[in-house]
Structures are given as C-alpha cells and as structure tokens.
Amino acid sequence: MSADVINKAFLATEEDFLALVRKQWLNNPHMASVGSCCLVGIVCSGMLYIANAGDSRVVLGRLDNTYKEVKAVPLSSEHNASVESVREELRSLHPDDPQIVVLKHTVWRVKGIIQISRSIGDAYLKSAEFNRDPLLPKFRVPEPFDKPILSAEPETLVQKLDPEDQFLIFASDGLWEHLSSQEAVDIVNTCPRNGIARKLVKAALREASKKREMRYSDLKKIDRGVRRHFHDDITVIVLFLDFHLISQSYWQGPLVSIRGGVGASGHSIC
C-alpha cells in the first residue's frame, strides 16, 4: 500500500470511465457530462491513507489529552474554485487561458461551468474529442483546448494513526455546507454510535431548513429533484478507530470495504 498505488487506482478508474464514454458516445453522449468527486480512506498496518479529488472532506476526531476534548482535524482540502489557492493553481496550469476561472453570479466556476477542479469523469472537460456534437451545447466549452481542464489526480495524505485518534468522518460537500468540521465531530463524539451517520445528515438538513426559514418536516416532503434547490446531496460515512487493532502489523480477519453512494432518498449514510 502506498500513495502511488492509490494514485494509479484513481487514474485507472478515470481511464476506464472515459473508455466507456467513448464506447457509448454516439448513442449516449450525455455520459460525457457525468462526473463525480472521489474521496478514499484506507487503514493499513497502523497507517492512514487519504486520497481526494473534488470537494468532499474527511475529518479526524482526535482526543486532546490536555483539555480532554475531541478536536476536529481536517485531513483533506477541497478542490473547489471558490478557494483562492485552487484558482491560483488553475491559472498556473492554464496560463494562456484568461477564462479558466470565471466569477458567474457571485460564484467562481471553472470555465464558468463547474465549481470543482478535480473529478472522475466529466469527460467533456478532460478531452476535446467530447467537446462537440452530439453533446448538448450547454455542456460545451466555446474555446478549443488541447489539455485537460479538470484533473483526476487525487491529493494524497499518509500519516501514522495514534491512540488519540477516535474516528473519521467522510462526507460530501452537502454536509459541510451546513455543519463545520468541529460541529460534526461534536455530534459524533456525544451521541450513540448506532445511526450516527444518519444523525449527521439530519443535523445538516435541519440547518438547511433554518436557512430557508421553513420547518424540517416540510423540507423532507419536497420531491428529490426539487430538493436540489434547497440543499446539495449528502453522503456520510463514519469510521470508528480501534488503535489496538489497527496498530497490528497484520490482520487475520476479513478485509472490510465501505462505499458511499446516493440512494432513493438522495442521501447516503453508513
């Protein structure tokens, strides 16, 4: 296990998806506009590996022995054009394109279209071969380009896990729009483990309803398609850490893998 192995897995996933888009281009060109953020966490031999492409976030809940509090430690950075360092990175990668980031309706967007700068998919912003008919005009970039506008390469972090590390919260930006990292950590730390991811989703939806000056019960009644005007989709996974187990140099039990994906309700919880 290494950061390089994870990086290769991201790029292989990207290549396979683009191959699928290419195969279905004539019959289903809409696939060229489909993309996803990707956030991965791996615990192996006492080490934590984090890889992120997009604007999801992983936060570590770590016990501060001095103050006897569990503090939030963000372990990833969001690849979103609203972040100044991301805009600077895009401008340095595309020095000849003055329109690489555009402020549109008070929101910074890559090419005036999308907020994220890294993703899996979004083929129409990765290769000029998909920036043409029969793709719908609203997805097309007016100017020709000869290198990918978005990247599928993740930003990786590798660190040793400590006894003070209590849990990890993996979540899409829909959660972080309404809860701070510390607020999410406080909820996980003070509530029963069973159903804790669902509790985080519920807390975010309550905050979303407050901002809209409506009742939480009324927000829940709104149809899924219309709900996107009130809040983004929310995917949450909470992973509790057992230092005794994860510090072992080998693991005799079964390998465990958890995947977050959006269900019928528009949210995913694990």
Side-chain angles (χ1 to χ4, degrees), residues 46-140:
M47 301 296 292
L48 173 65
Y49 300 81
I50 298 293
N52 182 47
D55 56 3
S56 296
R57 184 192 308 173
V58 57
V59 174
L60 171 68
R62 174 178 287 163
L63 177 64
D64 185 327
N65 287 313
T66 303
Y67 298 100
K68 302 301 179 184
E69 297 175 346
V70 177
K71 299 290 185 65
V73 183
L75 298 182
S76 60
S77 56
E78 282 97 290
H79 306 127
N80 190 300
S82 64
V83 181
E84 185 176 357
S85 60
V86 172
R87 297 198 298 273
E88 291 174 354
E89 179 185 54
L90 286 164
R91 288 171 181 140
S92 66
L93 291 171
H94 305 271
D96 299 324
D97 187 354
Q99 299 296 311
I100 188 63
V101 283
V102 177
L103 187 61
K104 193 172 182 179
H105 305 302
T106 72
V107 177
W108 285 101
R109 295 181 182 275
V110 182
K111 300 299 290 183
I113 299 172
I114 194 169
Q115 286 187 269
I116 57 171
S117 63
R118 306 191 193 196
S119 71
I120 302 292
D122 295 308
Y124 71 114
L125 294 173
K126 301 286 181 60
S127 174
E129 68 177 295
F130 303 116
N131 187 41
R132 58 183 176 84
D133 282 331
L135 186 66
L136 293 175
K138 67 177 181 179
F139 292 115
R140 285 184 237 155

Side-chain angles (χ1 to χ4, degrees), residues 36-57:
S36 175
C37 299
C38 187
L39 175 61
V40 172
I42 298 171
V43 176
C44 184
S45 300
M47 301 296 292
L48 173 65
Y49 300 81
I50 298 293
N52 182 47
D55 56 3
S56 296
R57 184 192 308 173

